[in-house]
Amino acid sequence: MNKLLVFLSLMLLTAGSAAAATRTVDIRNFKFNPTPLRIHVGDSVTFVNHDNEAHTATAYDKSFDSQGLDSNDKWTHVFRKPGTYRYFCQLHPYMKAIIIVLPSKM
Ligand SMILES: [Cu+2]
């Protein structure tokens, strides 16, 4: 019985801690992947350019901008406000994607 209680307490503690995650958006063949990407407030997103061509990850609302990423460059941004973030590549404006930031897990 005591062991069960300890186990249940640990489960609750684990579920209650909102550990920030780091997710990756791969830029490959002139596409952002995955999109849409759903994350939580406090999570980080690392953009990785796998193309032999420079790209940017730039929010339409200017809330983030990777600037130019050359081949194999990475850039990380922490999302601190919930919302739907539409972004694109300034060098290839037809490259568009979405990150949805949900409120933090309680
Ligand atoms: Cu591009």
Side-chain angles (χ1 to χ4, degrees):
M1 189 59 181
N2 277 339
K3 274 185 186 169
L4 181 61
L5 282 176
V6 169
F7 177 74
L8 288 174
S9 305
L10 283 174
M11 290 281 288
L12 283 173
L13 281 174
T14 308
S17 64
T22 301
R23 304 289 299 275
T24 300
V25 168
D26 290 304
I27 309 171
R28 186 177 273 125
N29 298 328
F30 296 79
K31 285 176 185 158
F32 297 102
N33 186 56
T35 182
L37 172 65
R38 284 180 183 78
I39 62 171
H40 290 89
V41 165
D43 288 351
S44 305
V45 175
T46 299
F47 300 83
V48 186
N49 181 12
H50 300 276
D51 280 343
N52 291 320
E53 179 91 25
H55 295 297
T56 76
T58 306
Y60 286 103
D61 68 3
K62 304 280 198 293
S63 60
F64 63 86
D65 182 6
S66 68
Q67 311 283 359
L69 298 174
D70 288 327
S71 286
N72 298 312
D73 274 0
K74 296 177 184 183
W75 181 77
T76 300
H77 180 71
V78 183
F79 287 84
R80 302 197 183 280
K81 283 187 189 168
T84 298
Y85 295 85
R86 294 170 196 279
Y87 65 99
F88 69 110
C89 171
Q90 287 191 302
L91 305 171
H92 314 98
Y94 55 87
M95 293 174 61
K96 298 172 185 173
I98 298 176
I99 292 174
I100 298 168
V101 182
L102 304 168
S104 61
K105 291 177 251 185
M106 296 306 282

